[in-house]
Amino acid sequence: MRNIVITPLAPIRISVEAEILSPDIFAPLSMEQICGLDVWQGNRKKKISDLFRVVGDEGPAKPEETALRLEGDFSRVKRIAEGMTAGTVDVTGSVGMHAGNNMLGGKLSILGNADDWLGREMRGGSIIVEGNAGNYAGAGYRGERCGMRGGEIEIRGNAGAYLGEHLCGGNIRVAGDAGDFPGAANQGGTIFIGGSCHLPGAEMTKGTIIVNGKAKVLPGYQKLEIVTIGGEKYQKYAGDLVENGKGELFIQAGSS
Amino acid sequence: MIIRGGIVYDPANGIFGEEMDLCIDGGRIVEDAKGEVIDARGLLVMPGGVDAHSHIAGKKMNTGRIMRPDDSRLGTEPRSGVCRPSTGYTVPNCYAMGYRYARMGYTTAFEAATPIIEARHTHEELEEIPILDKGALTLFGNNWEVMECVHDKDIAKLAAYVAWGLRAARGYGIKIVNPGGGEAWGFGSNVKGLYDPVPNFDVTPAEIIHALAEANEMLRLPHSIHLHFNNLGKPGNYTTALETLEALKDIKPSRMRQAVHVTHMQFSAYGGTSWRDFESKAPVIADYINRHNHATMDMGQLLFGAATTMTADAPLEYGNARLTHNKWSNHDIELEESSGVVPMVYSRKMLVNAVQWAIGLELALLTEDPWKVLMTTDSPNGSPFVNYPEVIALLMSKPKRDSEMATLHAELSKRTSLGGIERELDWSEIAIMTRAAPARILGLEDKGHLGFGADGDVSIYNLLPEEVDASKEHATVKKALATAKYTIKSGIVVCKDGKIIATPRGKTYWVDAAAAQADMDRLMVDLQEKFERYYSVQMSNYAVQDVYVTNPKVIKAGIGAEPLKEVA
Ligand SMILES: [Zn+2]
């Protein structure tokens, strides 16, 4: 395994666009080449070494043999692990917006929190967040008809609004609560919410949403039977009938 | 400037691939010049490309941009050199329109549809499109004043209104879209055919089209009426196409040109009774065009992939939205039009889309005279204009068409005649369909050719026409056309090796047509009442002011005007 550790030289106040923080970009390069990569901070182009200390094993290596460790606070660093296909990225702190965008494979682990658009339009691989995630985790970006299409997102804390909007495939699991409109306009995939949420599955045409806590259900949903999943009893609904949808919604029985 | 040794295709002047030098001075083609020498030895040289039908500016385009932030992401290019940032693919920003046309060797493009009341917006965007010369056609086919004049059979007053409307819109010519249908759409319906009366106006689409064609010729406008048929986009609509063409046979053009230009014929050459038995009727349409001389058309070629449909044919867009479950914008434009926008993806796997793809090509290949059929994609309805090189490569190569067809639905060969067409267009025919003919059809006498006095717009491609076999080497052809070696606009090199190096400001053409004062006086009585009773703006604020058209090229026409000089 080729290990590379990246640490901010000073607290980052102005946002950095760092789509290069990915095993795919680092793997084929020498340490010197990596330190020479460009990043944008605000409207200024900088070298990665102007903002971060980058140390690690000399390359090249394959992406699947490359492990990035991001130590410290990356909450103002955007697009970490964008489009990664293999390898691992471990973050000890929090990450900024658009982490794991368009991810295809590999594993992104975040010990802190993730900002908005975590794993948006991802197609494969896995993301684990120990803390909370912002809005639009696993969603499609503005105007897209398809959000996440494959892979896994696990959020051990809470998620914000529009979790998995336009989801077309893959799995999202939130241990805590989700905000408003999880699974809006879904066309596939599965969302599990351990806690409560508000108005799940608006305009869902296909896919599955399971809510372990409380949820207000939209009037476009038809109440069906009580079912048992993993020993727990759930009220099953079908919808969203506004869109002639074939989606399935399960809410913990007796909770709503 | 001297362009040395190119293999020149200038069909309007009878030059079909001759090695010759070209001289440009003062922005025009001249006999002799000094200065910069451009080495074009052996390379393909043509007049700058002219697009007679494209959606490049105005409210529909902007609605498309607003609806499609996803599209914006598909074409981002950062600021570099003289270029401002570009965004978008099917609905690019204004700058990208200019850069991308110029990169392909195009120097002129006409916006296809603007209601008078929205013309100010169109010009604001045209002003921001760099490099290109441009113009905008003005919508008249669903206008209340037009329909009232038609009802009263008052062609003189109608001509006065067209003249007034073109001046108010700073417009170039008469565009007619699903005449009557846009008005019917205000009541949730459509006109079903040429003789179906428009609600509340007691006129038929046939009467609207014919009267506007008469007014067009009464005003001696440089362009003919520019017509989007009724029933467009529906299976079996080829009969409407033929009926409409027949109904215009008696129109006598006031100039040496067609009496009607039919736009995006691909969408009107459909057979079958539903999408299930949908088939091509392109051979029937092409046969009609071959046997008659009053009509020209453009292809409206459809290509697989992303598109954004945008048209004043609002009921059509309602159908598109219902069919695709996609986003839909619907718009009612006061007394003038309705319109709609719907994003679209044309799929290779869909038989219907494959048949549509074949129909455009059949139309171009079965029409014997290339002067009668223009290469367009009705950008961005059939495909964005950046894909013109793909269309040209298909027209020039039977093997390319065959290999494409092999990837499409097995049923396709039963639904179209494309597989049996051997014809491969040559560079002369391509130069006609993309340069000479669009200029002639629009009535642009300084465009589309390289005779002395013509605009100094030239495209030079990195391709040796005497050595490259376009049939076999279609990939080379496509690549060369996508990135011109040189694009020269009014004598300035704007693009070199596919890179934009200068962004001069282009002209905006509009037509100032004179009408008889007595008719204008009668018209004003009508218009004053309409503005008082119905319009959301006052008449004094309605017309596009000159400040919105800072580099105009005004073509004089109308009653009593000097007869226009004929184009080459
Ligand atoms: Zn059009």
Side-chain angles (χ1 to χ4, degrees):
Chain A
M1 215 59 185
R2 183 183 181 195
N3 290 293
I4 299 171
V5 181
I6 301 122
T7 322
L9 292 171
I12 291 170
R13 290 202 187 84
I14 296 171
S15 288
V16 174
E17 300 264 334
E19 69 276 21
I20 51 149
L21 293 179
S22 153
D24 293 85
I25 309 278
F26 279 24
L29 305 179
S30 69
M31 287 310 292
E32 196 189 332
Q33 287 169 318
I34 290 171
C35 290
L37 289 169
D38 290 330
V39 290
W40 284 86
Q41 182 171 37
N43 59 3
R44 301 230 169 109
K45 196 195 256 184
K46 297 199 169 165
K47 294 266 173 270
I48 193 170
S49 53
D50 295 339
L51 296 169
F52 303 98
R53 194 166 68 95
V54 186
V55 291
D57 303 332
E58 197 46 73
K62 291 191 176 116
E64 56 268 34
E65 292 164 348
T66 303
L68 268 56
R69 192 173 162 83
L70 275 54
E71 287 191 343
D73 180 18
F74 283 75
S75 56
R76 292 276 169 98
V77 181
K78 297 180 195 171
R79 299 165 70 186
I80 289 166
E82 178 171 289
M84 77 183 269
T85 63
T88 62
V89 177
D90 286 287
V91 191
T92 64
S94 295
V95 295
M97 288 197 278
H98 300 287
N101 267 347
N102 296 311
M103 220 170 120
L104 295 162
K107 193 172 168 191
L108 167 63
S109 313
I110 299 154
L111 277 180
N113 301 321
D115 208 330
D116 296 347
W117 305 108
L118 174 74
R120 70 153 163 88
E121 293 159 43
M122 73 184 277
R123 286 162 188 251
S126 70
I127 299 178
I128 297 178
V129 185
E130 293 295 336
N132 301 322
N135 303 313
Y136 295 103
Y141 202 47
R142 299 293 184 218
E144 286 301 331
R145 292 188 82 191
C146 235
M148 181 175 173
R149 290 168 195 250
E152 317 261 339
I153 297 179
E154 186 174 347
I155 298 160
R156 301 227 161 116
N158 302 319
Y162 296 101
L163 173 74
E165 186 193 38
H166 291 118
L167 194 71
C168 284
N171 292 302
I172 301 180
R173 202 178 169 84
V174 181
D177 297 333
D180 295 344
F181 294 112
N186 276 16
Q187 301 149 66
T190 305
I191 299 177
F192 175 88
I193 297 164
S196 299
C197 65
H198 192 55
L199 302 174
E203 295 184 8
M204 172 158 76
T205 52
K206 227 173 120 188
T208 305
I209 303 176
I210 303 168
V211 184
N212 240 5
K214 288 186 170 53
K216 179 154 175 66
V217 176
L218 283 157
Y221 275 85
Q222 185 188 8
K223 203 169 186 175
L224 300 173
E225 69 278 14
I226 302 275
V227 296
T228 307
I229 307 172
E232 301 272 353
K233 285 200 177 344
Y234 291 88
Q235 173 66 52
K236 185 177 178 183
Y237 296 86
D240 185 341
L241 302 181
V242 168
E243 289 291 314
N244 211 2
K246 308 270 184 293
E248 293 182 322
L249 173 62
F250 301 92
I251 312 280
Q252 175 84 271
S255 73
S256 56
Chain B
M1 175 187 287
I2 306 154
I3 300 163
R4 277 222 198 283
I7 308 300
V8 175
Y9 287 83
D10 180 14
N13 293 306
I15 295 164
F16 303 103
E18 284 173 34
E19 188 189 320
M20 60 188 283
D21 296 346
L22 293 170
C23 297
I24 306 177
D25 193 30
R28 296 194 169 268
I29 306 284
V30 292
E31 232 176 314
D32 207 3
K34 292 194 173 61
E36 186 181 358
V37 176
I38 288 178
D39 180 8
R41 270 173 297 172
L43 300 179
L44 173 65
V45 175
M46 296 194 279
V50 178
D51 196 343
H53 186 109
S54 182
H55 299 266
I56 56 173
K59 191 143 182 187
K60 286 195 308 299
M61 180 48 70
N62 222 29
T63 301
R65 293 178 186 125
I66 292 163
M67 280 169 77
R68 301 208 62 184
D70 51 319
D71 187 82
S72 166
R73 289 204 278 158
L74 297 176
T76 50
E77 297 166 60
R79 182 184 69 169
S80 86
V82 297
C83 290
R84 302 166 92 169
S86 291
T87 68
Y89 172 60
T90 66
V91 282
N93 63 344
C94 297
Y95 313 134
M97 297 280 182
Y99 306 150
R100 290 177 191 170
Y101 264 116
R103 226 174 259 160
M104 298 191 302
Y106 273 69
T107 50
T108 307
F110 269 55
E111 158 59 36
T114 295
I116 306 169
I117 195 171
E118 290 179 350
R120 192 176 283 105
H121 181 163
T122 301
H123 285 291
E124 285 183 307
E125 292 196 18
L126 290 178
E127 289 283 299
E128 294 300 323
I129 295 177
I131 302 168
L132 301 181
D133 288 340
K134 56 251 159 181
L137 301 177
T138 308
L139 288 158
F140 285 99
N142 288 286
N143 186 298
W144 289 13
E145 182 62 32
V146 169
M147 289 189 288
E148 285 172 14
C149 291
V150 173
H151 178 263
D152 297 345
K153 305 201 177 352
D154 193 342
I155 303 297
K157 191 161 79 176
L158 178 60
Y161 181 66
V162 168
W164 182 87
L166 289 178
R167 203 174 301 166
R170 298 291 190 260
Y172 187 79
I174 299 176
K175 175 75 182 294
I176 308 169
V177 173
N178 185 15
E183 174 58 26
W185 181 241
F187 302 91
S189 69
N190 194 358
V191 287
K192 284 163 207 76
L194 213 47
Y195 301 102
D196 189 15
V198 184
N200 306 319
F201 283 91
D202 193 26
V203 292
T204 63
E207 289 166 340
I208 298 172
I209 299 167
H210 201 275
L212 281 167
E214 288 174 61
N216 195 97
E217 303 316 325
M218 188 182 268
L219 291 171
R220 307 175 134 267
L221 299 183
H223 187 34
S224 65
I225 56 165
H226 193 110
L227 181 57
H228 162 135
F229 284 141
N230 297 104
N231 283 331
L232 187 126
K234 294 197 186 109
N237 65 9
Y238 80 105
T239 52
T240 307
L242 295 176
E243 260 182 336
T244 314
L245 289 168
E246 272 298 288
L248 289 164
K249 255 169 50 180
D250 64 323
I251 297 291
K252 195 175 157 6
S254 56
R255 311 186 61 207
M256 277 285 286
R257 56 149 167 73
Q258 73 287 353
V260 53
H261 178 76
V262 180
T263 192
H264 39 67
M265 186 67 99
Q266 179 272 125
F267 290 109
S268 288
Y270 296 169
T273 56
S274 73
W275 294 116
R276 228 171 279 241
D277 62 354
F278 178 67
E279 60 172 349
S280 166
K281 285 289 179 185
V284 184
I285 298 282
D287 180 54
Y288 185 94
I289 297 288
N290 286 337
R291 285 185 294 106
H292 297 82
N293 287 321
H294 65 297
T296 57
M297 62 181 171
D298 61 81
M299 293 163 71
Q301 177 65 26
L302 179 148
L303 294 173
F304 303 112
T308 300
T309 61
M310 51 179 66
T311 170
D313 195 338
L316 170 83
E317 290 293 25
Y318 174 69
N320 281 346
R322 289 295 293 258
L323 201 69
T324 62
H325 295 280
N326 214 325
K327 288 180 269 196
W328 170 44
S329 155
N330 178 48
H331 194 46
D332 175 65
I333 306 160
E334 306 210 5
L335 281 58
E336 300 181 11
E337 269 299 341
S338 56
S339 74
V341 182
V342 175
M344 195 69 83
V345 176
Y346 300 116
S347 163
R348 286 170 185 279
K349 291 180 195 142
M350 291 263 296
L351 178 58
V352 167
N353 292 162
V355 175
Q356 291 175 306
W357 170 84
I359 289 173
L361 298 170
E362 282 180 282
L363 286 169
L365 294 164
L366 294 173
T367 301
E368 286 151 14
D369 181 358
W371 288 93
K372 289 179 175 175
V373 52
L374 309 182
M375 193 283 300
T376 66
T377 59
D378 188 18
S379 175
N381 284 282
S383 185
F385 66 83
V386 289
N387 295 322
Y388 285 175
E390 166 75 7
V391 182
I392 295 171
L394 285 165
L395 293 173
M396 297 187 83
S397 169
K398 163 90 169 141
K400 180 172 169 72
R401 298 196 294 268
D402 286 345
S403 66
E404 273 288 305
M405 278 185 86
T407 69
L408 301 172
H409 203 287
E411 187 77 5
L412 178 61
S413 55
K414 295 192 193 112
R415 306 286 184 97
T416 91
S417 72
L418 184 64
I421 301 175
E422 299 293 328
R423 186 175 174 197
E424 294 177 326
L425 300 189
D426 61 25
W427 286 113
S428 298
E429 290 165 318
I430 295 299
I432 293 168
M433 290 172 67
T434 58
R435 273 88 176 157
R440 179 182 288 184
I441 286 169
L442 284 172
L444 298 171
E445 50 194 41
D446 298 337
K447 296 285 181 196
H449 73 103
L450 298 169
F452 300 143
D455 284 352
D457 300 352
V458 183
S459 34
I460 305 170
Y461 296 99
N462 202 358
L463 187 134
L464 305 166
E466 292 175 333
E467 286 173 27
V468 171
D469 177 351
S471 174
K472 291 197 191 77
E473 297 165 69
H474 50 79
T476 310
V477 167
K478 187 175 161 181
K479 186 161 170 259
L481 293 175
T483 48
K485 181 152 180 66
Y486 292 95
T487 304
I488 297 159
K489 169 68 182 33
S490 303
I492 298 167
V493 177
V494 292
C495 173
K496 192 174 176 203
D497 295 318
K499 192 171 183 289
I500 301 297
I501 57 168
T503 57
R505 158 166 293 206
K507 303 186 280 279
T508 299
Y509 286 87
W510 68 274
V511 171
D512 188 7
Q517 193 55 48
D519 298 325
M520 203 52 101
D521 293 342
R522 290 192 298 132
L523 172 72
M524 282 307 126
V525 178
D526 288 13
L527 291 184
Q528 256 142 19
E529 193 213 339
K530 288 217 162 47
F531 277 92
E532 268 162 35
R533 289 185 63 178
Y534 303 116
Y535 266 110
S536 66
V537 292
Q538 290 188 5
M539 202 163 152
S540 54
N541 292 326
Y542 182 76
V544 175
Q545 296 90 338
D546 283 330
V547 68
Y548 288 90
V549 189
T550 57
N551 195 9
K553 168 92 180 177
V554 185
I555 311 270
K556 293 274 183 197
I559 293 157
E562 288 279 297
L564 290 154
K565 204 170 82 196
E566 300 307 339
V567 278

